[in-house]
Amino acid sequence: MAIKVKETGFGIWKIVVAVIALIVLFCAVGFFIVLRDSGGVDIESDITVEVPNGAGAAAVAELLAENGAIKYPAVFRLESKLGGYDGQYQPGAVTVRSGMSYGDILNALVTSDRDTVRVVIPEGYEITQIVTALHDAGLSGADDFMDALDPSLYDYKFLEGLPDREVKLEGYLFPATYEIPSTYTGRDIVNLMLKTFDNMFKQEYYDRAAEMGMTVDEIVTMASIVERETNADSERAKVAGVFYNRKNSGMKLQSCATVQYVLGERKPVLSIADTEIDSPYNTYKYAGLPVGPICNPGEECIKAALYPEATDAYYFCLSKSGEHIFSATYEEHVAAMESNDLVMNVDSSAVENEDSMK
């Protein structure tokens, strides 16, 4: 009899466990269905996020949650997996509107034929070039884009305390391939680019800038110079190291790219008059960094500005092979220039002392 009682007790326990498991399962399924049907999307205005190429469910769910588009990233990921959406996401802008279900958002994410216009903004583009690209793409928002370049219109940490200059947002319109909704205004487009910069410039970068005793704006300014001085990934950190060497030693930066920015053209050889232009961007005339960025740099150049290569070089010039030759002394630099049959970065009458040379 005792054995039968134990067997009966064990059987009842299994039934209790099974019932509890079923209750939990039904509750979970019910909770999931409710969230799926309602979408969990209750927002006051449309939210647009830029989905990076190759982003998976976890990354997209986090991106949507960070921007306030969804409340339950775990549920979003679950529906993506169960619905077969994983691995199907298309890059570009996706707009989330109040009342959308998670299924609606997922359908938008996997749809390549959105009512958007693809615009490629290369690294190193200036704002004037960005406006041209937007106009060429046929976006109506290009017409009021320049009017939307007021930092006070946007709420981003990196825009706090920008120095006074004509175009304050130069440097922060992050270069990328954008899928821009055709209905976007200039302000919408600017905000999309600033939001992309915000997603890129992580806390580690803020901490590193503070460790270097520099503001975010100074880092972006240095990055913009590096962006315009070299196209080679392998050289960026070293080019940054050269300019930091000059800056820290009291030398003028003497970046041709800063004068080209003032001129509005990429003039290959600068004249004496060019280098004497009175502009806070002219690093031949004024010591230290220019008043602001001279282009919109990519992340690799920002990383180079944050983590420059330690070098004893103070000069560099372009070799016949297309790579830069770095020199520690002015004499070495002149020899490198002569061996590569290069003209000086300013006309010959300007080359009278070491401070006139890159």
Side-chain angles (χ1 to χ4, degrees), residues 30 63 169 186 223 256:
L63 183 63
L169 292 188
C256 295

Side-chain angles (χ1 to χ4, degrees), residues 90-91 93 107-118 179:
Q90 298 295 316
N107 285 328
L109 284 166
V110 301
T111 301
S112 58
D113 186 21
R114 304 169 189 161
D115 186 19
T116 60
V117 177
R118 175 165 291 192
E179 293 286 346

Side-chain angles (χ1 to χ4, degrees), residues 24 40 55 58 76 105 171 187 189-191 209 253 268 276 287 290 296 317 338:
V24 172
F76 183 89
I105 300 173
R187 182 170 174 177
I189 298 172
V190 171
N191 189 59
L253 297 190
E276 293 177 346
N296 295 276
C317 65
E338 292 175 347

Side-chain angles (χ1 to χ4, degrees), residues 305-353:
L306 289 165
Y307 303 98
E309 180 178 328
T311 177
D312 61 355
Y314 283 78
Y315 308 92
F316 58 90
C317 65
L318 198 63
S319 70
K320 293 177 181 178
S321 65
E323 297 177 344
H324 282 99
I325 301 173
F326 294 85
S327 303
T329 67
Y330 173 68
E331 290 73 23
E332 291 174 358
H333 176 62
V334 171
M337 295 281 287
E338 292 175 347
S339 66
N340 283 274
D341 300 324
L342 296 175
V343 296
M344 301 303 182
N345 61 344
V346 293
D347 63 30
S348 57
S349 60
V351 184
E352 299 176 352
N353 59 70

